[in-house]
Amino acid sequence: MTCKDKHHAYQAVQLLRRALAARDAAVVAEDLRALASALPDAPAGSLRTATAHAASGAWPAPVGTTFCPPGENPEEDEETQDDEASAASESGTPHGARLKDLPGKVVRITHLREFHITDEDALIRAAMDADWDPLPASELAEDDPRDLIGAVMTLTESGGWITGADTLEDQSEAGLLRAEDGDELTDWSPVPVTTHFHHGWLLRRPASNTPTEEEPPDLVALFPVKECSCEDEDCEDCGWQLTPRTADLLLTALSVLADQAYDAADDLRDQPVTKQRPGDWELFTRLPSLTWSADRNWRRRMARAFDDLTDDLEHGRWPQPSCTAEEMALHLAIEDAPSYLDDIDMRDTAHGTLPEHRDDYDWDACSDLFFQDGDVLMLFDARLDGIEDPDGDVNQRLGMGDLRAAAWFEPFGYPPARDPKRGFRR
C-alpha cells in the first residue's frame, strides 16, 4: 500500500494495530470508512484487505518482510541511551557504577502479580484506550496471538484494577541492598536476581504423623473456647485462649515451612548456604548464620522440627518446643502466620467458617506464652558473636546453655522429648 500523506499512513498503522488486537473489523469500521474515503482507490482497497487480514489474525506477508513499529529506530535508541546516561550522571548516579561505588542507599522492590483474564475483548479494549500498541504478529507467541501479555502489562502500569481480569495475587518484596552482604546491582550481579514470595496457604499438606491422612483436624473440637460474658481481658476464669483460627494459621505456616525445609535440604545437601548462591533455600538463610554450614541431615532434622510442632497442634496441644530447633521453628511460624490471613476469603474458605473469638490472631500472646525464654533470638545479634558457646562468660552468666548448631536437637527435659523412632515425613 502506497500512501503519500504521512498523517494518513500513521492513521493506517494505528487502525491495523487496533484491528489486529481486537480481532474484530467492526471495532475500526467507522475509522476505516473515513480513512478509505480520503485515500485514492488503490491504497483504500489495499487498506480494506489488510484490515480484514488483521482482524482474522492471518496476515500473509512476502518472505523477508520485516516490520519496525514507529519509534523503534535503532539510531534513535542509541541517542536515547546516551541521553539517559547523561541524565543519570547529572543526578549524581554514575553511569555503569557498582553498588559499592554509589554514595547513597539502594532499594530493590520486586513484585509478583497474577491475573485471571475473564474477558479478553474487554481487556483488549481497555488496553487500547490506554494507548497500548500490540506486538506485530511475527513477534507473538503461538499461545498468545492477541498479545494479552502486553495488554496486561500496559494496564498494570496504572496500579489499579484491570478491566476484564481478576487479580489472583499481588505481593511485593523490598529491601536495601548491602555490598557487605554480597548484594550487587542487577546489571553487575554475577548470579540471577531471585525473590522468594510466600507459598499459597491452600497448599498446606498434613504431616504423616497426624491423626488422619484424609481429613484435616477438627480445630473447633481440638481447641474449644470458653465463653465468658465478663468482657475483661484479665479475667482469671477465661484468660487468653489459643483459638481455632489462630491454630489454623499456625498450622499453615508450620506446614509450608516444613515443606520448604525438606525441599531446600534436598537441594543443598551438604553445601553451605550463602545469600550469594542462587537457589530456593531462603528458609535456611533466615536462620542464624552459625547454622549455615550445617549438613543435609541437620537440615532434615530442622524440617522435622516444624512437623513435630504441627503434630502438637493437630492433637489439640499448644505447640511446645522441646529443643532449640523447635523454638526457632515456632518463632518463624509465628512470624509468617499473619501473612496467610491476607490470602483468605472469609466467605469461601474453611477458615472463614471457624468461630470468631476476641483472642484470634494475637501473635504477641503466642510469642509470650509458647516459649520458656527468648535466648535463641539472641543468636541474630552480631554484637553477641560467640554467645552460643556454653563455656563463654556471657552464656554462663545468663544460664543460656549450649546454643551451637550441633546441640539444637538436644531435648530440654521439659516438655518430654520426642519419640526418637518417629522417623521423617519425607
Side-chain angles (χ1 to χ4, degrees), residues 256-276:
V256 171
L257 287 166
D259 284 342
Q260 291 176 350
Y262 279 117
D263 290 342
D266 291 341
D267 190 9
L268 278 169
R269 303 191 70 80
D270 295 333
Q271 301 177 70
V273 61
T274 68
K275 289 186 176 180
Q276 288 73 46

Side-chain angles (χ1 to χ4, degrees), residues 19-304:
L20 179 63
R23 291 294 173 85
D24 185 358
V27 172
V28 297
E30 184 175 346
D31 292 337
L32 175 60
R33 284 194 295 270
L35 181 55
S37 65
L39 296 173
D41 290 343
S46 298
L47 178 60
R48 294 188 185 95
T49 300
T51 302
H53 287 317
S56 68
W59 195 336
V63 176
T65 299
T66 60
F67 173 70
C68 183
E72 293 190 7
N73 187 313
E75 295 181 0
E76 292 181 1
D77 285 347
E78 293 179 2
E79 294 175 0
T80 300
Q81 292 174 4
D82 292 340
D83 291 342
E84 291 176 349
S86 176
S89 176
E90 293 176 1
S91 70
T93 303
H95 178 64
R98 303 286 293 266
L99 178 60
K100 61 182 176 60
D101 300 326
L102 299 180
K105 293 181 171 61
V106 176
V107 175
R108 174 178 290 159
I109 302 175
T110 52
H111 298 283
L112 170 64
R113 304 185 71 184
E114 295 175 343
F115 302 95
H116 172 214
I117 299 175
T118 56
D119 188 333
E120 290 190 8
D121 293 335
L123 178 82
I124 293 294
R125 287 193 295 269
M128 290 167 57
D129 291 341
D131 297 326
W132 163 66
D133 289 331
L135 288 173
S138 60
E139 297 182 23
L140 292 173
E142 293 183 2
D143 60 347
D144 188 20
R146 302 187 71 181
D147 193 17
L148 296 176
I149 294 176
V152 171
M153 291 181 66
T154 297
L155 293 174
T156 58
E157 293 177 359
S158 64
W161 295 101
I162 294 182
T163 301
D166 293 333
T167 301
L168 302 178
E169 187 62 79
D170 191 346
Q171 296 186 50
S172 295
E173 287 288 338
L176 290 171
L177 299 187
R178 295 168 54 88
E180 56 267 34
D181 290 342
D183 295 335
E184 184 52 274
L185 301 176
T186 302
D187 288 344
W188 288 100
S189 179
V191 297
V193 176
T194 59
T195 301
H196 302 291
F197 297 97
H198 69 71
H199 297 281
W201 70 281
L202 291 174
L203 293 178
R204 174 163 61 86
R205 296 194 294 270
S208 62
N209 54 351
T210 58
T212 170
E213 291 282 343
E214 302 299 330
E215 297 294 332
D218 185 350
L219 297 177
V220 176
L222 291 171
F223 296 98
V225 293
K226 299 177 182 178
E227 298 298 335
C228 182
S229 60
C230 69
E231 298 185 359
D232 182 359
E233 294 184 359
D234 296 324
C235 174
E236 295 182 358
D237 293 331
C238 53
W240 182 82
Q241 302 176 70
L242 176 56
T243 67
R245 289 193 174 199
T246 303
D248 188 43
L249 293 192
L250 280 174
L251 275 170
T252 299
L254 287 165
S255 297
V256 171
L257 287 166
D259 284 342
Q260 291 176 350
Y262 279 117
D263 290 342
D266 291 341
D267 190 9
L268 278 169
R269 303 191 70 80
D270 295 333
Q271 301 177 70
V273 61
T274 68
K275 289 186 176 180
Q276 288 73 46
R277 181 184 292 116
D280 189 16
W281 46 70
E282 180 190 15
L283 169 63
F284 288 116
T285 65
R286 294 174 63 185
L287 301 181
S289 58
L290 62 88
T291 69
W292 289 7
S293 60
D295 60 14
R296 179 173 180 267
N297 182 58
W298 189 97
R299 291 168 180 144
R300 282 178 54 78
R301 296 176 74 186
M302 188 68 210
R304 186 173 60 182

